[in-house]
Amino acid sequence: MIELEGVPELIDPVMVAAFEGWNDAGDAASTAVAHLDREWKGEVFAALDAEDYYDFQVNRPTVFLENGVRKITWPTTRLSVVRVGGDKPRDLVLVRGIEPSMRWRSFCNEILAFAHELGVEMVVILGALLGDTPHTRPVPVSGVTSDPDLARTMDLEETRYEGPTGIVGILQEACTHAGVPAVSLWAAVPHYVSQPPNPKATLALLNRLEDLIGLRIPLGELPEDARAWQVGVDQLAAEDSEVAEYVQTLEEARDTAELPEASGEAIAREFERYLRRREPGSGPGPGVATDGGDSPFLREAGGRTRPPKPEQPGPEAVPGTETPPTPDATDSEGAGPEAAASEQSDDGSRGADGPEPPAEGAGDDTEK
């Protein structure tokens, strides 16, 4: 049952969703929605019943103490609303949770019921995948849709992906069949440094979302975090000649493929974003140092370091059935299988920030 008595009437609402797990390499997508919720002080108004959608042996509840009293937090999906003021106010409905373990069709129907009751005009689903992209270059972000008209009017790619998918793809198709405009934004995360967090990929998703929905998003410390992340990975890569050589190979391939993209339109788009960031009060906050932590590269026997390749997907039941298998959402490489599956696609579409890596971003879940 949907109870929305406490939710005010929204202005031109857009639903923005992200799910931890298979479609969230480096936790980039879920962190982006968490950033929006934190910066705009979102108010949670609904949570889906955990017992309906989650296998607690896969996504276990957690116990914590509050004033000496033990409490339990159950894995679920929560919806919050943020009111964005300014010259052109627009409200957002944020959906953040874990990819469900079962009953995906019912899950999507429940999300769509909220969208209908709140008058949502468009659904934007964020995802992140592993790809052959160098960490030293801008993060490729592709925007895809299943709606030919939407693809044409919003300069998006019409998805052509075929293969295994996750909840992002299922929710996008559910929106399409329900007549709700839906877009998926995919960031490509370097497969050789896939451990979360990845603030650079999160920042790229937010920049593309800002362009898509026409809202100026406060970035806070994300730009500095992204720079610190890249410096840290640079240092780790420089310590191993094989890794450094591999990164250089990716850079050369990326730069060669991107030459046609250095058009006046692409340059103008970046310049417009730069001007928006120059407005008063738009500067980033102080940077936050990152932890050293373990090396993000895989180590071979004997101590040599090599970049790992994305895991190849195995046989999988079609998502949306009553009991689809779902990887543990806490797995830091949860998006790997789908990214690898997308590498098998013949789709050559390009993202807004450059050519699409040979990963699912060109259409994965983006079958969306």
Side-chain angles (χ1 to χ4, degrees), residues 39-58:
E39 291 293 324
W40 277 321
K41 298 177 174 57
E43 298 182 5
V44 175
F45 65 87
L48 275 58
D49 190 338
E51 295 235 345
D52 289 342
Y53 305 113
Y54 295 99
D55 179 348
F56 298 139
Q57 290 183 326
V58 175

Side-chain angles (χ1 to χ4, degrees), residues 129-211:
L129 52 97
L130 300 180
D132 290 329
T133 181
H135 71 278
T136 53
R137 296 294 185 265
V139 175
V141 177
S142 60
V144 295
T145 180
S146 299
D147 186 333
D149 293 333
L150 198 62
R152 182 174 57 257
T153 58
M154 302 192 73
D155 192 24
L156 301 167
E157 295 290 340
E158 187 177 353
T159 180
R160 290 288 184 268
Y161 172 76
E162 295 179 291
T165 188
I167 193 61
V168 172
I170 299 302
L171 180 56
Q172 177 160 349
E173 288 306 305
C175 290
T176 300
H177 293 155
V180 178
V183 176
S184 294
L185 300 181
W186 287 92
V189 173
H191 69 82
Y192 58 89
V193 57
S194 59
Q195 281 80 348
N198 190 319
K200 187 173 181 178
T202 296
L203 180 62
L205 280 171
L206 291 175
N207 282 335
R208 185 65 193 276
L209 177 65
E210 184 178 65
D211 294 339

Side-chain angles (χ1 to χ4, degrees), residues 22-23 99 104 164-171 319 338 360 364-365:
W22 212 47
N23 304 136
E99 183 178 63
W104 285 19
T165 188
I167 193 61
V168 172
I170 299 302
L171 180 56
E338 184 147 5
E360 130 200 65
D364 152 47
D365 263 289

